[in-house]
Amino acid sequence: MGADRTRLRFWHLYGGGDGVNMQTMLDAYRAAHPEIALQASTLQWGAPYYTKLGMAGAGGRAPEVAALHLARLPGFGPGRLLDPFDLDLLAEHGLDRKDFPAGLWRRGRIDGAQYAVPLDTHPMVLYYNTDICGKAGLLEADGKLKPVRGTEEFTAALRAAGKVTGRPALAVETLGAGTVGPWRLFSTLYSQTGGTLLDERATRITIDDGKALTALRFMRRLTEEGLAHRRLDYNGTVGVFGGGETAFLLGGEWEVSTFANLGLPFSMTRVPNLFGHPTAQADSHCFVLPHQRDRGGESDEAAHAFVAWMLKNTVEWAKGGHVPAYLPTLEKPGYLELEPQSEYRSVIEDVVLDPPAWFAGSASSMWIELGAVLSGVLTGSRTPQGALDEARARLQALLDTPDPLGGDA
């Protein structure tokens, strides 16, 4: 590294298609900033990443900037393991809070300081096979899926598509080691009823039993009536939809590259509004500043400038399916030309992140614990009421467990 170059270290957890897109962005950044010696490190996704990042912050010898899932921020020790952003410095590089959805920006703010700047949101979406849906009479003249609202219209669409294939029309993750799909599905449906899981400070359970059972009974109905596959792990959902065997897939938008590379005739849209609110479960990748004992100077300014540059160049990032959080990107021709990635961009104002608890967010204890419980509703091994009772008990056990990283939930 030349003596006149500023060192900038960036840790992230992006693999697969995300890793390829991130590498393209990092290469472009390096080409545009020869004065910065960018050292990017890809660490193992999930718990190993967060453990290593937490230890680096606790020791004060962390990288200048890192990636984080926004829903995991409250448990990550803001003020101890993370340093706040300098909003004036971000403004000097052209970033303003008005450039982001208010809800996502607000989730990055704790005790009056901004600890996270959102990169994207990655919601649950509805994939649909255009060939099957066309034969079932479910497409508009322009080839897009006809609007679907309410459970009866949705189940009617599933039945129509099922008649074309002779198989269940919907793929959704129902089981598997460490399964989280059932939790993401429940969170989406339950949020559409207006229900909440915890209070605003994540200190007590606020589950509305009636609304929760409405969502759970619908989940049971999907598999019990043969509308959805009863026994699919995550790879199974990708396999049956990617193989053209089923009309619909409810899952994360990040598989768009997988299906595009297969040459599959498909498109994507928002999860239908089944229960009154057009919401979808999501998390958000964000940028954070891991704690450094001597943060400041040229390296800190480089970190702020790096975040601003990356956000302004998120058309490349959107190719992997994520909806950019930097709102000006959503109006760029390059983004609008991305199909089907731009088809569900309006969901960014209706995403529902986990409550601000240390045990919530992507790859979290809550996802694993509740995913295992809710799996039984889809496979038939648990009743909706039994699953609700067990989910409440597990959620209370998590509330009663101290945050191992010492964050404030």
Side-chain angles (χ1 to χ4, degrees), residues 10-16 19 22-23 26 40-45 49:
F10 171 48
W11 285 8
H12 67 84
L13 68 177
Y14 305 122
M22 177 55 63
Q23 188 60 51
L26 295 175
S41 300
T42 308
L43 282 70
Q44 185 178 348
W45 194 91
Y49 176 79

Side-chain angles (χ1 to χ4, degrees), residues 30-103:
R30 288 189 179 97
H33 300 84
E35 77 283 3
I36 303 296
L38 175 63
Q39 302 172 6
S41 300
T42 308
L43 282 70
Q44 185 178 348
W45 194 91
Y49 176 79
Y50 287 113
T51 299
K52 186 166 185 177
L53 186 61
M55 292 175 64
R61 297 184 298 275
E64 282 69 40
V65 62
L68 195 81
H69 284 99
L70 187 54
R72 295 197 64 140
L73 180 66
F76 219 76
R80 188 172 65 84
L81 301 181
L82 300 176
D83 296 329
F85 280 91
D86 182 330
L87 296 184
D88 291 335
L89 198 49
L90 286 178
E92 287 181 22
H93 294 284
L95 284 192
D96 186 274
R97 64 183 299 172
K98 296 191 296 294
D99 294 329
F100 301 87

Side-chain angles (χ1 to χ4, degrees), residues 33-391:
H33 300 84
E35 77 283 3
I36 303 296
L38 175 63
Q39 302 172 6
S41 300
T42 308
L43 282 70
Q44 185 178 348
W45 194 91
Y49 176 79
Y50 287 113
T51 299
K52 186 166 185 177
L53 186 61
M55 292 175 64
R61 297 184 298 275
E64 282 69 40
V65 62
L68 195 81
H69 284 99
L70 187 54
R72 295 197 64 140
L73 180 66
F76 219 76
R80 188 172 65 84
L81 301 181
L82 300 176
D83 296 329
F85 280 91
D86 182 330
L87 296 184
D88 291 335
L89 198 49
L90 286 178
E92 287 181 22
H93 294 284
L95 284 192
D96 186 274
R97 64 183 299 172
K98 296 191 296 294
D99 294 329
F100 301 87
L104 291 182
W105 183 262
R106 188 167 53 248
R107 282 295 296 264
R109 197 164 184 82
I110 295 178
D111 295 332
Q114 195 71 31
Y115 284 96
V117 176
L119 168 64
D120 64 30
T121 186
H122 39 99
M124 176 168 271
V125 296
L126 182 68
Y127 296 82
Y128 58 98
N129 183 300
T130 51
D131 277 358
I132 298 173
C133 289
K135 293 174 182 176
L138 300 176
L139 300 184
E140 300 274 27
D142 62 359
K144 306 300 182 186
L145 189 68
K146 291 179 179 178
V148 175
R149 183 181 177 89
T151 57
E152 295 313 306
E153 287 188 11
F154 186 53
T155 55
L158 295 179
R159 289 194 182 92
K163 288 179 181 178
V164 173
T165 63
R167 303 193 63 189
L170 177 64
V172 65
E173 182 185 355
T174 64
L175 49 76
T179 183
V180 297
W183 155 250
R184 299 188 74 229
L185 177 60
F186 170 77
S187 178
T188 294
L189 300 178
Y190 180 55
S191 72
Q192 290 192 354
T193 70
T196 59
L197 204 65
L198 303 173
D199 65 353
E200 291 184 356
R201 292 194 57 80
T203 57
R204 62 182 179 83
I205 296 173
T206 58
I207 294 174
D208 181 304
D209 284 11
K211 292 176 177 178
L213 287 171
T214 293
L216 291 167
R217 286 167 180 155
F218 184 69
M219 289 169 62
R220 167 56 67 83
R221 179 184 175 190
L222 288 173
T223 52
E224 197 168 57
E225 295 185 6
L227 302 172
H229 293 264
R230 185 185 291 262
R231 302 187 65 82
L232 285 179
D233 61 9
Y234 182 85
N235 289 335
T237 66
V238 175
V240 297
F241 185 78
E245 301 172 39
T246 197
F248 296 100
L249 166 63
L250 277 171
E253 35 64 32
W254 51 82
E255 294 292 354
V256 59
S257 298
T258 301
F259 301 135
N261 290 337
L262 291 172
L264 187 73
F266 81 102
S267 191
M268 300 158 71
T269 189
R270 295 177 54 162
V271 176
N273 180 356
L274 303 181
F275 295 111
H277 299 272
T279 49
Q281 186 277 339
D283 205 338
S284 166
H285 294 119
C286 62
F287 291 107
V288 294
L289 305 176
H291 175 58
Q292 294 181 334
R293 292 196 186 99
D294 55 352
R295 178 173 289 280
E298 291 183 356
S299 63
D300 188 48
E301 180 168 356
H304 285 72
F306 169 77
V307 169
W309 189 93
M310 294 290 279
L311 289 167
K312 293 177 182 179
N313 290 273
T314 42
V315 170
E316 184 67 34
W317 187 242
K319 291 178 181 178
H322 309 317
V323 184
Y326 183 65
L327 295 176
T329 298
L330 303 186
E331 304 303 324
K332 290 183 177 181
Y335 175 73
L336 295 174
E337 291 168 2
L338 291 178
E339 294 184 354
Q341 291 92 330
S342 64
E343 295 292 333
Y344 48 89
R345 64 189 182 277
S346 63
V347 77
I348 198 162
E349 299 292 349
D350 295 307
V351 293
V352 175
L353 274 65
D354 292 352
W358 72 262
F359 49 77
S362 295
S364 66
S365 303
M366 186 179 78
W367 283 32
I368 300 298
E369 289 281 335
L370 299 192
V373 173
L374 300 171
S375 168
V377 176
L378 293 164
T379 63
S381 65
R382 290 183 190 269
T383 65
Q385 184 64 60
L388 176 58
D389 293 342
E390 179 63 17

